[in-house]
Amino acid sequence: MSTLHTLLALLRVKPASGYELARNSAIATDPVWAASHSQIYPLLHKLQQQGLVTSTKDTRGERLERTVYAITPRGEEAFQTWLEEPLHYLPYRDPFRLWIGFMDQIPPAVLMRGIDEHERRNLELAERYERVAGELARGEHPFIAIRRGRVPDPELARIARARAFQYTEVAAVARLEVEASRRARILARELHPESVNQPPPSQSRGRRTRR
Amino acid sequence: MSTLHTLLALLRVKPASGYELARNSAIATDPVWAASHSQIYPLLHKLQQQGLVTSTKDTRGERLERTVYAITPRGEEAFQTWLEEPLHYLPYRDPFRLWIGFMDQIPPAVLMRGIDEHERRNLELAERYERVAGELARGEHPFIAIRRGRVPDPELARIARARAFQYTEVAAVARLEVEASRRARILARELHPESVNQPPPSQSRGRRTRR
């Protein structure tokens, strides 16, 4: 269960509350491993039961109390064991390719809208991830900043390169989806020749009435 | 829940038993939407309760009885509705990119083995999907053969092109993973310079003892 290990990975950097872990996972691991935030507290409980993390109450001001989790030596060991295990692949489930395989049966306007949306969504992801990869490579990312002084500089440089690579590669996945959308659009036009040069429904009303 | 719709898609071609659906999904939809075969019977039951499929007992020979499922007009409608709905994206979870982001901390021999395995696995998938795409495009695939005579030839040609595209695109995903593995290997060697030119443990024993 890799979500559990993403939490250990975050706690290796520094002790954190459940809230901070949710925020940090959004920065650090969500692009490659989307954690459901509702899972975080049950998983922390499980990690604590297994002796992989400890928790302490931290009081700030008069009434503000929060639980802060820290990784234990056994937790460090469990994380390293996970790194050395064979990858556990997931069943491949690809909603876009499943759907697009039926493109001969999808009404052209719906088809074009779905392809446009897929392209837009992935272009946005690609640009975001490429930006983060750049920030990581230049050491400007919060993920690197938080570690500065905690780990020696040469080690920090290696971490930054590995994480920058991760983002470059997840951006490459999104870029492939953009290209796949463009290829899908070309085939969609060939399979639905009646729709060529026909504006999408929302823009066509004015023209169609021709008044 | 798309697995339910993949079953409807298969039943649109022709009525089939649960066993045949499992076999046909392996040919037709698993590469883009891995169905768990243990799901098939509970889902058929659900589809039947919703009036989207009917079942009949089919007796072959003296004792061999099987249940054959057929799609109903309401099932056809449900399938078409699903085709026209916005895509339901899944949370992105990528075990390879999650793991490779920690490559600075993975022992080099383990890292190289994982990268090799990822490349090998995806090269095999890419080649298999490209082969199927070719068979589909030439009309040689069982998926097309089963429809010949049931649907008019021009429609069959459109189906074949859409499905061939699906396979080409899922092959492109696997090709990207092959390229990502090769890029990962280059970075792994840079981050673990001590491992450069070091043979993997299994082959190195003889050399290390130098006897």
Side-chain angles (χ1 to χ4, degrees):
Chain A
M1 234 292 271
S2 296
T3 308
L4 201 142
H5 297 99
T6 63
L7 293 179
L8 289 179
L10 294 170
L11 290 174
R12 292 181 80 214
V13 182
K14 70 179 192 73
S17 67
Y19 171 79
E20 289 169 323
L21 285 169
R23 202 187 51 196
N24 294 343
S25 78
I27 298 174
T29 47
D30 277 1
V32 288
W33 194 268
S36 148
H37 286 182
S38 64
Q39 285 181 302
I40 290 183
Y41 289 95
L43 284 176
L44 283 170
H45 184 70
K46 199 174 162 189
L47 287 170
Q48 195 166 5
Q49 280 186 317
Q50 295 175 354
L52 307 183
V53 306
T54 53
S55 73
T56 47
K57 298 281 177 197
D58 178 20
T59 312
R60 287 186 169 185
E62 270 183 29
R63 292 192 304 181
L64 204 63
E65 193 184 73
R66 52 177 210 150
T67 305
V68 174
Y69 298 87
I71 193 166
T72 63
R74 273 181 66 190
E76 289 278 0
E77 227 172 89
F79 182 76
Q80 196 62 37
T81 302
W82 172 72
L83 281 187
E84 300 185 23
E85 273 168 9
L87 277 183
H88 176 70
Y89 287 95
L90 301 175
Y92 186 74
R93 293 187 164 177
D94 184 334
F96 180 69
R97 283 172 186 72
L98 175 61
W99 182 71
I100 216 73
F102 299 112
M103 70 157 86
D104 53 295
Q105 297 156 58
I106 304 170
V110 175
L111 181 58
M112 291 304 186
R113 207 182 306 133
I115 294 172
D116 289 350
E117 168 59 18
H118 193 69
E119 181 179 5
R120 192 202 53 69
R121 174 192 172 92
N122 281 286
L123 196 54
E124 203 179 291
L125 286 175
E127 285 168 358
R128 189 195 314 161
Y129 296 151
E130 283 158 6
R131 199 166 54 238
V132 176
E135 288 167 8
L136 280 162
R138 293 188 302 274
E140 288 164 11
H141 192 268
F143 191 79
I144 300 302
I146 205 177
R147 282 181 162 88
R148 197 157 281 137
R150 288 172 189 273
V151 296
D153 278 356
E155 195 184 323
L156 194 61
R158 295 172 79 236
I159 294 174
R161 291 196 64 191
R163 302 305 154 87
F165 179 75
Q166 187 181 47
Y167 272 84
T168 308
E169 288 300 329
V170 75
V173 172
R175 287 276 168 211
L176 177 69
E177 294 308 303
V178 172
E179 290 165 28
S181 306
R182 291 172 185 173
R183 289 189 290 258
R185 195 176 288 116
I186 293 170
L187 182 60
R189 287 198 182 117
E190 283 182 41
L191 292 187
H192 297 279
E194 74 283 8
S195 72
V196 173
N197 299 325
Q198 187 188 303
S202 58
Q203 294 168 31
S204 65
R205 250 173 245 149
R207 292 192 200 171
R208 272 190 192 157
T209 52
R210 282 183 188 262
R211 289 218 166 211
Chain B
M1 235 291 272
S2 297
T3 307
L4 201 143
H5 297 99
T6 62
L7 293 179
L8 289 179
L10 294 170
L11 290 174
R12 293 180 79 215
V13 182
K14 71 180 194 69
S17 66
Y19 172 79
E20 287 169 324
L21 285 169
R23 204 188 48 197
N24 294 344
S25 79
I27 297 174
T29 48
D30 278 0
V32 287
W33 195 268
S36 148
H37 286 182
S38 63
Q39 285 180 301
I40 290 182
Y41 289 96
L43 285 176
L44 284 170
H45 185 69
K46 198 174 163 189
L47 287 169
Q48 195 166 4
Q49 278 185 320
Q50 294 175 356
L52 307 183
V53 306
T54 53
S55 74
T56 47
K57 298 280 178 197
D58 178 18
T59 312
R60 288 188 169 182
E62 271 184 27
R63 293 192 302 181
L64 206 62
E65 193 185 74
R66 52 177 211 151
T67 306
V68 174
Y69 298 87
I71 193 166
T72 64
R74 273 181 65 193
E76 289 279 359
E77 229 173 85
F79 182 76
Q80 196 62 39
T81 302
W82 172 72
L83 281 187
E84 299 184 23
E85 274 169 8
L87 277 184
H88 175 70
Y89 287 96
L90 302 174
Y92 185 74
R93 295 188 163 175
D94 183 334
F96 180 69
R97 283 171 185 72
L98 174 62
W99 181 71
I100 215 73
F102 300 112
M103 71 157 85
D104 53 295
Q105 297 156 57
I106 304 170
V110 174
L111 180 58
M112 291 304 185
R113 207 182 306 133
I115 294 171
D116 290 349
E117 167 60 19
H118 192 69
E119 182 180 4
R120 191 200 54 71
R121 175 192 173 92
N122 280 286
L123 195 55
E124 203 179 294
L125 286 175
E127 286 169 356
R128 190 195 314 162
Y129 296 152
E130 283 158 7
R131 198 166 53 237
V132 176
E135 288 167 8
L136 281 162
R138 292 188 303 273
E140 289 165 9
H141 193 267
F143 192 80
I144 300 302
I146 205 176
R147 283 180 161 88
R148 197 157 281 137
R150 288 171 189 274
V151 296
D153 278 357
E155 195 185 322
L156 194 61
R158 294 173 79 237
I159 294 175
R161 290 196 65 192
R163 302 306 154 88
F165 179 76
Q166 186 182 47
Y167 272 84
T168 307
E169 289 301 329
V170 76
V173 172
R175 287 274 170 213
L176 177 69
E177 293 309 303
V178 172
E179 289 165 27
S181 306
R182 290 171 185 173
R183 290 189 289 259
R185 195 177 287 118
I186 293 168
L187 182 60
R189 287 198 180 118
E190 282 181 42
L191 293 186
H192 297 278
E194 74 284 9
S195 73
V196 173
N197 300 325
Q198 187 189 304
S202 59
Q203 294 169 28
S204 65
R205 249 173 244 149
R207 291 193 200 174
R208 273 194 190 154
T209 53
R210 283 184 187 261
R211 288 218 166 213

